């Protein structure tokens, strides 16, 4: 009955929206309150010049803090500084206690590997400043006292400044002293430590803080920046706003039911990376820290009280943005990116934290989910419904009710008695099954995972060293400690086909609730004084023998999906690519999983928020992003559902999902006209599936976002700096989803005026010269999508029941000419599911068009793939002077081609050139 009551409470809280009282403000977070008020006139931190050593790409030195209040200044604390020059215009600054009482935690999984080093040379040491340079010519100027770092771009101008506002702080770890001042009756009338140093309370929860205060802080300034971006996941704009009049942005992975819109509250993701941009340059920083973090922002151009005062003092408009990171624990470890364009800094970040590997192709298609499809008959009915209504589908999802009473790696024997047959019925149509595996483990005698975890000591411990017990969907639950290598091995083995009967290579995984979510925990998560595994080291016992949850919290979900990923790879001996969806997000998540934006609602505001949320995640490394189409809570009426499907068709992860208490909403359950529009949206996605697949392949190579803000490709156009209701897919498609109710037109910004860019409506092929904003008329079936002139996009117009059935279908190549009658594009082809592409079993081809010839050539001549696909049609938009004839040359043969000119929109169509995609070809035009 407790579980039922808890579920009812949670369901009601979801319907009513987030209860903000369950989550801390900065004032209620001890370290945030303490550090935010720390605003000294002068920094206490100084560099000891006598200790400076430069070797290879590293400067090492001692930093000290000095007691300036005593008659004779004395050193209070000593710190070890390390400045590293890294490849590609990146620097790293690390500051730790020289001899800490306990080791401080450094994230172990965020980086994709050891960063590559560059050279670092001393240029000068004079007037209390060290000047150093890397091989590219970027300079770093270190002011000795007070300590300050200035990073200069290749023009010699300051791009990033550290500690310009004197807010550097690394709280030294201390030994707790005894209470003093007991009176005769034993009452404590004085403590020799400040309030909250060794414990904190929030509502009914007590945090013991055995290490005491250990917070860190650093201010970062971006001169000449108009805006800064990043630090997802939040629900406000893509560009970050000044926070001085309210709460800072919070980075702390939390389970927030129906989260609040236009908010800086923490939700499921916490990626501590910031990017700045202005007309002069782009730059960025990555705060390598897994603890709870708050970020203050001051944009001196946005008209706030603070910025207005600064501008008054400085004599006018100041183009600059400041940020300040404040974390509860950890080492100060900061990477600085010196772009100088948006694409450069986005790529520099993924160079550190990794790219999304090439996903299985089906995962880019359409997914159908609900909490919950109740049994095998329900799954079959939904599967058949898509066929009956001619709507393509690639996967059906099962939420927690498929299990035996919420015990993962099991099936409900009554509702899902034949899971293997159910999967086979789906795979016969080229479809997949995706099932949920959450990190909480039901504490039930006889449940093999619980028994093993208890016996082998695999659970997270509480503050007293006992198995931590909290509440989640199964009721009483414990949590596997993924920081323990033995846990990762045990957990990964659960995915072996023999250990998870009913699964196959076509069953993939959804990792939810991995913030971790603990229904009766502080802020609906795990207490900070819980204990995680730490690799044994000599001489370390007691407090030093484990990590507290406060140190590792934001990395917890990354550990979970990393274990899932390992299990999915191992189960097929490394042959098949896994697909994993995660809710918790941290730096490096992109290497393992796709992300969705969590428990949204069927409201226009949540549809609108999904766009900047996914743009922000994309520039922060996580391109594989989408929202629950239609909204998780509530029921979307026909117009909202239509617009959400249309928007979802142009987001990387395209899944419809809904709460168990909502009305069923499979596409055919709406009226016939709405069903037709939903069908059209899904079919549009399938027609572009090879385009999406190519974009993700290219991301895996170059690290650039798949979904891009306009400023990435048009960094000089200041109008693009705050546009976050439209975006680019690669550099070829511009998408402006309709996000408002009842509109008959929307404003669309077409960038590229200075380069005389032409944009083509993808429906009519009508050309529009870039000229900033224009009004585009829309009806319920229309979404403004434009193809850039100078690009070529591969399409497949024969949409079938699933993407697997389209693998060898013919292509339509859409050529959008620029004002020189030129265009180029790419296409990537492989088997869509294995790692054979690593052994050069793929095609990555470049397609070019010039007035005299169109060519299809292999970028990697050592790679090949036996595709049976061919070119069914070539559409050339923007023809001014049509050719008189055309001939295909392939394999030593020349074949004349048929062409049709449509003068109404200047489109030339070449029908059935029948060129094979398995080998290079050319089409020669005569005039």
């Amino acid at each position: 009955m407790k579980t039922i009551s808890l579920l009812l409470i949670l369901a009601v809280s979801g319907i009513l929206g987030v209860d903000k009282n369950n989550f801390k403000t900065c004032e209620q977070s001890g370290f945030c309150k303490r550090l935010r008020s720390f605003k000294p006139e002068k920094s206490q931190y100084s560099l000891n010049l006598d200790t400076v050593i430069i070797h290879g790409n590293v400067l090492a030195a001692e930093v000290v803090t000095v007691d300036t209040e005593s008659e004779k200044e004395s050193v209070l604390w000593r710190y070890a500084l390390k400045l590293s020059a890294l490849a590609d215009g990146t620097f790293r600054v690390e500051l730790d206690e020289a001899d800490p009482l306990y080791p401080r935690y450094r994230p172990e999984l965020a980086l994709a590997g050891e960063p590559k080093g560059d050279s670092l040379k001393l240029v000068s040491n004079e007037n209390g400043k060290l000047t150093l340079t890397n091989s590219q010519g970027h300079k770093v100027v270190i002011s000795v006292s007070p300590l300050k770092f200035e990073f200069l771009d290749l023009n010699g101008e300051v791009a990033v400044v550290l500690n310009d506002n004197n807010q550097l702080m690394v709280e030294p770890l201390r030994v707790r002293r005894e209470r003093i001042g007991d009176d005769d009756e034993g009452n404590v009338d004085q403590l020799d430590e400040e309030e909250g140093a060794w414990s904190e309370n929030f509502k009914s929860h007590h945090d013991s803080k055995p290490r005491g205060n250990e917070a860190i802080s650093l201010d970062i300034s971006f001169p000449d920046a108009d805006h800064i971006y990043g630090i997802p996941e939040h629900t406000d704009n893509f560009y970050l706003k000044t926070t001085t009049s309210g709460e800072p942005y919070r980075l702390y992975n939390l389970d927030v039911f129906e989260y609040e819109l236009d908010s800086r509250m923490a939700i499921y993701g916490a990626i501590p990376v910031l990017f700045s941009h202005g007309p002069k340059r782009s730059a960025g920083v990555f705060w390598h820290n897994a603890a709870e973090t708050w970020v203050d922002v001051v944009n001196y151009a946005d008209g706030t009280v603070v910025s207005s005062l600064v501008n008054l003092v400085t004599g006018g408009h100041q183009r600059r943005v400041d940020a300040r990171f404040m974390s509860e624990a950890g080492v100060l470890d900061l990477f600085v990116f010196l772009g100088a364009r948006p694409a450069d800094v986005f790529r520099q970040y993924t160079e550190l934290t990794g790219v999304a590997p090439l996903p299985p192709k089906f995962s880019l298609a359409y997914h159908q989910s609900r909490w919950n499809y109740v049994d095998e008959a329900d799954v079959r009915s939904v599967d058949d419904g898509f066929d009956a209504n001619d709507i393509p589908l690639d996967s059906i999802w099962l939420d927690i009710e498929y299990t035996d009473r919420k015990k993962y790696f099991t099936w409900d024997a009554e509702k899902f008695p034949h899971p293997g047959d159910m999967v086979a019925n789906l795979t016969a149509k080229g479809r997949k099954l995706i099932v949920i595996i959450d990190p909480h483990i039901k504490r039930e005698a006889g449940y093999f995972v619980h028994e093993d975890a208890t016996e082998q000591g695999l659970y997270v411990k509480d503050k007293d060293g006992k198995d931590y017990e909290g509440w989640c969907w199964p009721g009483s639950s414990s949590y596997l400690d993924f920081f323990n290598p033995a846990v990762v091995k045990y957990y990964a083995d659960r995915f072996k086909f023999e250990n998870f009967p009913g699964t196959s290579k076509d069953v993939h995984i959804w990792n939810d609730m991995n913030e971790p979510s603990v229904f009766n925990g502080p802020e609906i998560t795990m207490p900070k004084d819980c204990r995680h595994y730490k690799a044994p080291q000599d001489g370390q016992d007691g407090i030093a023998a484990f990590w507290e949850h406060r140190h590792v919290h934001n990395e917890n979900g990354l550990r979970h999906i990393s274990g899932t990923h390992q299990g999915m790879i191992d189960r097929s001996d490394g042959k098949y690519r896994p697909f994993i969806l995660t809710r918790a997000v941290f730096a490096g998540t992109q290497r393992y999983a796709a992300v969705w934006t969590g428990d949204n609602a069927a409201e226009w505001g949540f549809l609108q928020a999904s766009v900047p949320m996914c743009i922000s995640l994309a520039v922060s490394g996580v391109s594989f992003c989408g929202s629950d189409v239609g909204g998780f809570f509530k029921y979307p009426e026909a117009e909202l559902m239509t617009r959400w499907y249309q928007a979802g068709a142009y987001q990387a992860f395209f899944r419809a999902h809904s709460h168990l208490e909502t009305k069923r909403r499979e596409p055919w359950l709406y009226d016939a006209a709405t069903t037709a529009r939903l069908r059209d949206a899904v079919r549009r996605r399938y027609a572009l599936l090879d385009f999406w697949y190519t974009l993700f392949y290219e991301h895996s190579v170059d690290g650039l976002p798949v979904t891009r803000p306009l400023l990435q490709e048009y960094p000089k156009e200041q109008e693009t700096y705050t546009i976050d209701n439209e975006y680019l897919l690669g550099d070829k498609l511009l998408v402006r989803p309709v996000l408002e109710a009842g509109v008959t037109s929307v404003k669309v910004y077409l960038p590229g005026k200075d380069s005389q860019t032409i944009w083509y409506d993808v429906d009519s092929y009508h050309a529009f010269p870039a000229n900033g904003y224009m009004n585009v008329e829309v009806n319920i079936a229309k979404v403004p999508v434009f193809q850039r002139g100078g690009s070529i996009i591969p399409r497949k117009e024969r949409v079938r029941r699933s993407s697997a059935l389209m693998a060898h279908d013919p292509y339509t190549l859409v050529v959008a000419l620029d004002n020189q009658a030129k265009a180029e594009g790419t296409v990537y082809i492989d088997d869509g599911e294995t790692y054979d592409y690593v052994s050069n079993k793929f095609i990555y081809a470049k397609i070019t068009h010039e007035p005299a010839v169109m060519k299809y050539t292999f970028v990697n001549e050592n790679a090949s793939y036996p595709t049976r696909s061919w070119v069914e049609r070539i559409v050339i938009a923007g023809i001014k002077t049509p050719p008189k004839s055309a001939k295909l040359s392939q394999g030593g043969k020349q074949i004349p081609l048929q062409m049709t000119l449509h003068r109404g929109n200047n489109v030339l169509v070449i029908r059935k050139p029948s060129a094979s995609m398995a080998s290079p070809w050319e089409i020669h035009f005569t005039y």
Side-chain angles (χ1 to χ4, degrees), residues 125-190:
N125 177 4
E126 55 189 18
N127 301 321
K129 293 185 177 182
L130 295 177
T131 302
L132 307 105
T133 185
N134 67 2
S135 67
Q136 291 181 290
H138 299 104
K139 292 182 179 179
V140 185
V141 178
I142 305 176
S143 298
V144 173
S145 182
L147 182 65
K148 182 169 74 172
F149 300 81
E150 296 172 283
F151 295 86
L152 280 59
D153 64 19
L154 294 177
N155 295 320
E157 296 183 315
V158 178
V160 178
V161 187
L162 308 184
N163 201 34
D164 197 34
N165 296 322
N166 305 311
Q167 292 170 328
L168 168 64
M169 169 67 78
V170 179
E171 291 184 327
L173 293 159
R174 306 167 186 251
V175 175
R176 185 174 187 178
R177 289 175 288 181
E178 296 297 324
R179 293 177 172 181
I180 60 175
D182 287 10
D183 61 21
D184 294 338
E185 297 179 358
N187 298 315
V188 179
D189 57 22
Q190 184 181 357

Side-chain angles (χ1 to χ4, degrees), residues 153 155 157 224 277-282 340 716 721:
D153 64 19
N155 295 320
E157 296 183 315
D224 304 310
H277 183 64
K280 282 190 175 182
R281 75 181 74 86
S282 301
K716 298 296 185 182
Y721 298 178

Side-chain angles (χ1 to χ4, degrees), residues 164-165 221-222 225-226 242 297-304 306-311 316-323:
D164 197 34
N165 296 322
S221 299
F222 299 98
D226 278 22
T242 293
V297 174
V298 178
N299 188 327
Y300 290 98
D302 70 0
T304 63
V306 171
S307 63
S308 298
L309 290 173
V310 171
N311 290 333
H317 171 81
Q318 184 178 17
R319 178 172 270 146
R320 165 173 157 161
V321 184
D322 289 353

Side-chain angles (χ1 to χ4, degrees), residues 208 210 460-468 529-531 546:
S208 60
V460 174
K461 310 304 179 188
D462 65 16
K463 64 183 179 65
D464 298 316
K466 301 175 183 178
D467 287 350
Y468 171 69
D529 53 8
C530 281
R531 301 180 180 183
F546 56 84

Side-chain angles (χ1 to χ4, degrees), residues 67-78:
D67 182 2
T68 57
E69 296 182 0
S70 61
E71 293 184 6
K72 184 177 180 181
E73 291 189 358
S74 59
V75 173
L76 293 175
W77 301 100
R78 300 181 186 275

Side-chain angles (χ1 to χ4, degrees), residues 37-258:
S37 62
F38 174 71
K39 298 177 181 178
E41 293 184 4
K42 180 181 177 180
S43 175
Q44 291 183 316
Y45 292 79
S46 299
L47 181 73
N48 183 348
L49 274 176
D50 295 335
T51 65
V52 173
I53 298 174
I54 301 173
H55 180 71
N57 70 317
V58 177
L59 175 149
E62 180 185 69
V63 168
V64 298
T65 57
V66 177
D67 182 2
T68 57
E69 296 182 0
S70 61
E71 293 184 6
K72 184 177 180 181
E73 291 189 358
S74 59
V75 173
L76 293 175
W77 301 100
R78 300 181 186 275
Y79 298 88
L81 169 69
K82 186 177 176 182
L83 169 71
S84 305
L86 305 177
D88 201 22
T90 299
F91 290 87
R92 185 178 192 178
V93 178
E94 300 168 85
L95 189 66
D96 192 5
E97 293 182 71
D99 187 21
L101 185 61
Y102 314 112
R104 289 174 175 261
Y105 185 72
R106 297 171 179 262
E108 299 174 353
L109 212 56
L111 301 182
E114 185 64 28
K116 297 177 183 178
D118 191 6
S119 64
L120 185 66
K121 295 181 180 179
L122 180 65
V123 175
S124 67
N125 177 4
E126 55 189 18
N127 301 321
K129 293 185 177 182
L130 295 177
T131 302
L132 307 105
T133 185
N134 67 2
S135 67
Q136 291 181 290
H138 299 104
K139 292 182 179 179
V140 185
V141 178
I142 305 176
S143 298
V144 173
S145 182
L147 182 65
K148 182 169 74 172
F149 300 81
E150 296 172 283
F151 295 86
L152 280 59
D153 64 19
L154 294 177
N155 295 320
E157 296 183 315
V158 178
V160 178
V161 187
L162 308 184
N163 201 34
D164 197 34
N165 296 322
N166 305 311
Q167 292 170 328
L168 168 64
M169 169 67 78
V170 179
E171 291 184 327
L173 293 159
R174 306 167 186 251
V175 175
R176 185 174 187 178
R177 289 175 288 181
E178 296 297 324
R179 293 177 172 181
I180 60 175
D182 287 10
D183 61 21
D184 294 338
E185 297 179 358
N187 298 315
V188 179
D189 57 22
Q190 184 181 357
L191 297 178
D192 71 339
E193 300 286 358
E194 66 270 24
E195 180 184 358
W198 299 98
S199 66
E200 282 186 39
N201 296 312
F202 177 66
K203 302 183 77 171
S204 62
H205 302 283
H206 179 72
D207 177 10
S208 60
K209 293 181 63 175
R211 287 174 171 83
N213 291 338
E214 51 181 318
I216 61 175
S217 166
L218 180 66
D219 62 272
I220 303 151
S221 299
F222 299 98
D224 304 310
D226 278 22
H227 294 281
I228 59 175
Y229 312 87
I231 55 170
E233 183 176 34
H234 299 97
T235 62
D236 62 349
N237 297 95
F238 172 49
Y239 56 95
L240 303 178
K241 302 172 185 175
T242 293
T243 60
T244 50
S245 61
E247 288 290 292
Y249 290 93
R250 190 183 187 198
L251 295 172
Y252 194 57
N253 292 355
L254 292 173
D255 178 359
V256 184
F257 281 88
E258 197 174 334

